[in-house]
Amino acid sequence: MKERAEEIVLSIQHVKKKIGRKWIIHDVSFDVRAGEIFGFLGPNGAGKTTTIRMLVDLIKPSAGKITVCGYNVNRQQEQALRHIGSIVENPEMYVYLTGWENLEHFARMQPGIDQQRIGEVVEMVRLDRRIHDKVSTYSLGMRQRLGIAQALLGRPRLLILDEPTNGLDPKGIKEMRQFIRQLADEGMAVFVSSHLLSEIQLLCDRVAIISSGRVLAVGDVDELIAGNSDHVIWDLSPAVQGKRILLKLDYCEIVERPEEVLDDSLLAGMPQGAVVTRIHSAHTPKAVTALVAAGVQVREVHRINPTLEQLFLQMTEGERIE
Amino acid sequence: MSNLLPLIKNECIKIIKRKRFYVILLVLLVLVPMFTYAQMKSAERSQEKFNSDWRLELQQRITDNENSLSSDRVPDEWKRYRQIFIQQMQYYLQHDVNPNQPNGVTFTREFMDNAISLFIPLLIMAIASDIVSGERTTGTIKMLLTRPVKRWKVLLSKLIALIMFTSLIVVSTIIIAYLISGLAFGYAGFELPVFTGFRIVGSEVDMSGVHAVSQWKYLLMQGGLVWFVGVSVGMLAFMVSVLVRSTAASIVIMMASLIAGTILTNMASAWSSAKYLFMVNLNLTGYLAGNLPPIEGMTLNFSLGVLALWAICAGIVSFSVFTRRDILN
């Protein structure tokens, strides 16, 4: 099995967690393979961080089994954790030490990491100019990069990043994506959590969607997310006439309250008087023809992704139908 | 698997880089001169009064105490304390030894007597109280525990570092007290005899075991006892630091129990089972000097045993909680 290209690095089987009297995680199972970026998508409070904490043995699952490279994380901690590099929540380092001293500190906790390796990871995250400054002077982005350097020190097979783009500027986010992709291309399994659908879409190969402690779906990002996007923004002129025509089409359904289905960022960028519809991609050309035939100018037709809430709604509805 | 030594090195680096130890040294460097100055003033005063004849001074103190014994307003416990004090002073007088001869070594000895139950434990708490809770407050514990090292090893490295710094604090307190007070009183006094071995039976002092030791030996014995108290208090503060997430709460809990100890001690407790509390057992050097124990029936071995028991329990609690607990914050 180990010879296969898609070796399973992380395997989570029927993991449950009870804190106090409350079940926080009901039943979570999925596998993460070498060389893939696996997204862990869910709103805040869905149990993402709790699950991540169980992956790195910060908390013990109440039931179920987690293995990393064949080692049980909760029984053979030393062997399992050797293959994991992680940042849980924020990259909290010792602010009274320099970046380099922080890395030396963590390097001492694992055999086989020398000064040269520390230099390598510093170069990888491009922190060489400020590495000898105290961490207290670092920006959030630099701390994030130092956290990743720390995670990479032990040449892990599995990299766990909790909301890695949090607090980064757009340029930083883009660099982070490229960096993570590069790591995955080198054969590392990368596990990324996020509450942003767009983030997961841009970054991940496969995704598990979690809501209130349950995994709703696991699969390819394209199938799960793109397959569920049937909302289209129309920018028409004149808008009122355009809307009237769209209303008449039986394969097209006008969304009266776009704020319920759109992200805030999309909503803000939406042109004045734009119409949001639910329409299958197969029917879009017909609708455009109908609009043009009626003399309406079509300025823009823009297919959009559903919001996370919507995706959940569709998934849970789907469950009920089945 | 991975060795403990690098882990201990990590902990020491963190303690030093956090400047905790410098703060402790600074506190000593500020306070010891103050005590020295106070001691100098009182020495000058008695010199004027008694014409630098220490026998006269000692005799005066004995008479003062004797007079107060007849007063009805003095509580019985105080009378017992004074009776014992009188007997000891008479012993010194008979053997022609000045118990308070001002010099650096005597100052250090007296300073350690006074520092053992509150001052030194407080200094140790400055390091012990946040050695674990500090990592939880800042969140660095997540990084620390997701490395391939068993949790008990992480905790043990912290405990060893703490004991190392406890020893360092005790040694530096002695050295700083000696060096600074020596400026005022001179650096001599190592060979001076000090009487020890007083046994207190009721309100009488059994002198049969009394013998003189040179002051340097006495100081060494004191140092050992202070170290023992330091390690015990350190272990307790360590446990509180494991149990409590916030460093402030951890300091308050330890401070409150230490101060409760001094209050209980001063109450000359009629509540005899209080002797099993660790905080009334801290004044170990009092047994060397032959002071009346805070509660009847307490001896050096008893106090050592009580402290050891508390420290061992604290260690067991610390390790069993730390290795099992879910890190949620």
Side-chain angles (χ1 to χ4, degrees), chain B residues 145-273:
Chain B
L145 295 185
T146 51
R147 298 286 82 223
V149 178
K150 289 235 163 78
R151 283 194 189 183
W152 69 262
K153 282 188 188 165
V154 173
L155 196 64
L156 185 62
S157 67
K158 281 186 177 291
L159 184 59
I160 292 172
L162 174 62
I163 291 174
M164 282 165 57
F165 273 90
T166 301
S167 319
L168 210 57
I169 288 171
V170 172
V171 171
S172 24
T173 309
I174 293 176
I175 291 175
I176 288 173
Y178 174 66
L179 289 181
I180 291 178
S181 65
L183 284 174
F185 305 120
Y187 292 102
F190 281 106
E191 295 300 334
L192 276 179
V194 182
F195 293 111
T196 185
F198 300 99
R199 274 188 57 227
I200 291 145
V201 188
S203 53
E204 293 299 311
V205 183
D206 178 3
M207 303 283 188
S208 59
V210 174
H211 54 279
V213 294
S214 8
Q215 198 154 232
W216 67 266
K217 261 191 195 158
Y218 191 88
L219 205 58
L220 224 60
M221 295 197 284
Q222 268 189 321
L225 294 178
V226 171
W227 181 83
F228 191 84
V229 168
V231 171
S232 314
V233 173
M235 294 277 284
L236 285 160
F238 188 72
M239 175 185 76
V240 174
S241 178
V242 169
L243 296 179
V244 178
R245 186 192 303 173
S246 122
T247 303
S250 149
I251 290 177
V252 166
I253 290 171
M254 275 315 285
M255 283 252 273
S257 49
L258 285 176
I259 291 169
T262 53
I263 295 172
L264 277 176
T265 310
N266 288 336
M267 278 180 172
S269 190
W271 169 33
S272 70
S273 47

Side-chain angles (χ1 to χ4, degrees), chain A residues 17 53 57-60 78 81 84 88-89 92 94 96-97 101 105-106 108-110 150, chain B residues 1 10 14 17-18 135 138 140 142-144 146-151 153 326-329:
Chain A
K17 179 66 190 180
R53 280 168 191 267
D57 195 43
L58 283 176
I59 62 181
K60 304 230 182 304
E78 292 194 354
L81 288 174
I84 308 179
V88 180
E89 282 182 314
E92 283 130 338
Y94 300 101
Y96 48 88
L97 300 179
E101 284 168 339
H105 173 279
F106 292 109
R108 279 189 209 104
M109 300 187 75
Q110 199 168 351
Q150 174 274 141
Chain B
M1 288 297 140
N10 273 347
K14 283 188 271 185
K17 289 277 176 173
R18 221 146 21 133
E135 303 253 11
T138 57
T140 45
K142 289 178 292 186
M143 298 275 183
L144 199 62
T146 51
R147 298 286 82 223
V149 178
K150 289 235 163 78
R151 283 194 189 183
K153 282 188 188 165
D326 285 346
I327 307 293
L328 290 169
N329 68 307

